[in-house]
Amino acid sequence: MDLNTITDVIRRPPERPGAEWRQGDAWLAGGTWLYSAEQPELRRLIDLTALGWTPLVPTYAGLEIGATCTVRDLYAFPWPIGWTAGHLFRSSCEAFLSSFKVWNAATVGGNICLSLPAGPMITLTVALQARYELWAPDGSVRFVDALDFVTGDHRNILAPGELLRRVSVPGQALRRRTAHRRFTLTRLGRSTVFLVGTQRQGGNDLQLTVTAGTTRPVRLGYDSLPDARTLRQDVDGLPAGLWFADPNGTPDHRRHLARHFAEEIRRELTAGDL
């Protein structure tokens, strides 16, 4: 879609691009959503891709993902054998409501900052206990847990002009066992619910992340695997207003799916399947 209110595009912003920010600006990365809808309040675009942020950096502490990392690059990354959660990255990429062609432009940071309930990069990073590095226009930096970033449908904690610089996934999370379930009305449709369970290698704990069916991510944590009744009660105990409603499902439908898939994940991790 043509954005006919745009008067300027900053193609080469400074290394700390917040200094360029003013009212009516938008950060431009992949632009796959930005160009898909009218943006009448915007006057300038600031191109973050020109900064050349490294997409993926494995470190001793884990994995750093640049906000402008494309879905294609994330999907193609050669995961070390010891990172047992690696397959979850590919499954999350495949959960995009888009064709593989869009992967060449769509970015990890863009999907997170759009903050839609069905954002698969939100599901992935919350499930793996990631932290986000945020840059403010005044040059300050803050860090926030992925779980605390999204506050509702299309809402997050970003202040005006603040941007997501990188996502840090801890090594201990990358070495966890995982199980996930996702429901869509069509094969390539938007997620109605997307649940991920993780567990320490050789452990008996459970971290269950519920997304897509809720307006913000939810994590249920257990030091040891709960029984089926406890898990069901905890899913049912989530606030009624937290469940999302759209053409892909009612709150009751999504709650039902979450209960069903949560139990499947519990059984899978109990059985010791990777």
Side-chain angles (χ1 to χ4, degrees):
M1 174 175 287
D2 292 334
L3 301 182
N4 56 20
T5 62
I6 299 299
T7 60
D8 197 8
V9 178
I10 308 300
R11 292 291 187 185
R12 297 185 179 277
E15 183 178 347
R16 303 288 287 194
E20 295 282 339
W21 180 267
R22 66 192 189 201
Q23 189 68 30
D25 286 355
W27 303 116
L28 173 63
T32 53
W33 177 82
L34 191 64
Y35 288 114
S36 72
E38 293 183 1
Q39 312 288 346
E41 74 284 2
L42 297 185
R43 299 295 178 267
R44 295 197 313 168
L45 301 178
I46 303 176
D47 187 2
L48 298 178
T49 61
L51 296 173
W53 293 341
T54 304
L56 295 153
V57 182
T59 70
Y60 177 78
L63 177 68
E64 292 186 355
I65 307 172
T68 54
C69 174
T70 64
V71 177
R72 178 198 60 191
D73 287 341
L74 189 66
Y75 188 82
F77 185 72
W79 300 103
I81 294 176
W83 288 4
T84 50
H87 70 94
L88 183 60
F89 284 77
R90 290 200 166 193
S91 296
S92 298
C93 290
E94 291 167 352
F96 269 83
L97 178 61
S98 64
S99 71
F100 68 92
K101 297 177 183 178
V102 176
W103 292 8
N104 292 312
T107 63
V108 173
N111 187 249
I112 291 170
C113 292
L114 187 54
S115 299
L116 297 178
M121 297 295 98
I122 299 169
T123 306
L124 171 69
T125 55
V126 171
L128 295 183
Q129 303 172 346
R131 297 187 77 206
Y132 300 160
E133 180 180 331
L134 308 180
W135 286 6
D138 63 5
S140 62
V141 177
R142 63 171 171 150
F143 298 87
V144 61
D145 289 341
L147 180 64
D148 300 325
F149 181 79
V150 176
T151 58
D153 178 19
H154 206 34
R155 293 188 288 115
N156 58 50
I157 65 170
L158 285 174
E162 198 170 27
L163 62 87
L164 173 60
R165 169 59 184 89
R166 65 169 56 85
V167 176
S168 298
V169 184
Q172 58 85 14
L174 292 166
R175 291 186 290 272
R176 291 175 71 88
R177 300 169 60 236
T178 69
H180 68 276
R181 297 293 188 276
R182 175 175 170 258
F183 179 86
T184 62
L185 295 178
T186 61
R187 181 174 176 271
L188 296 177
R190 186 183 298 273
S191 299
T192 300
V193 294
F194 193 171
L195 279 72
V196 179
T198 72
Q199 185 181 68
R200 294 194 317 273
Q201 292 285 350
N204 191 44
D205 61 312
L206 172 65
Q207 296 288 324
L208 180 68
T209 299
V210 182
T211 62
T214 51
T215 56
R216 58 173 175 79
V218 175
R219 183 188 297 143
L220 301 175
Y222 305 89
D223 293 333
S224 60
L225 279 165
D227 58 29
R229 181 179 180 180
T230 299
L231 185 59
R232 179 187 178 96
Q233 289 176 338
D234 288 347
V235 172
D236 282 342
L238 295 177
L242 191 61
W243 295 98
F244 188 50
D246 72 355
N248 294 288
T250 64
D252 285 345
H253 175 54
R254 286 178 149 110
R255 185 187 295 107
H256 169 75
L257 289 171
R259 286 196 301 253
H260 176 75
F261 288 146
E263 174 59 14
E264 287 194 348
I265 288 171
R266 187 190 72 86
R267 291 182 179 181
E268 181 174 333
L269 291 175
T270 300
D273 295 333
L274 289 176

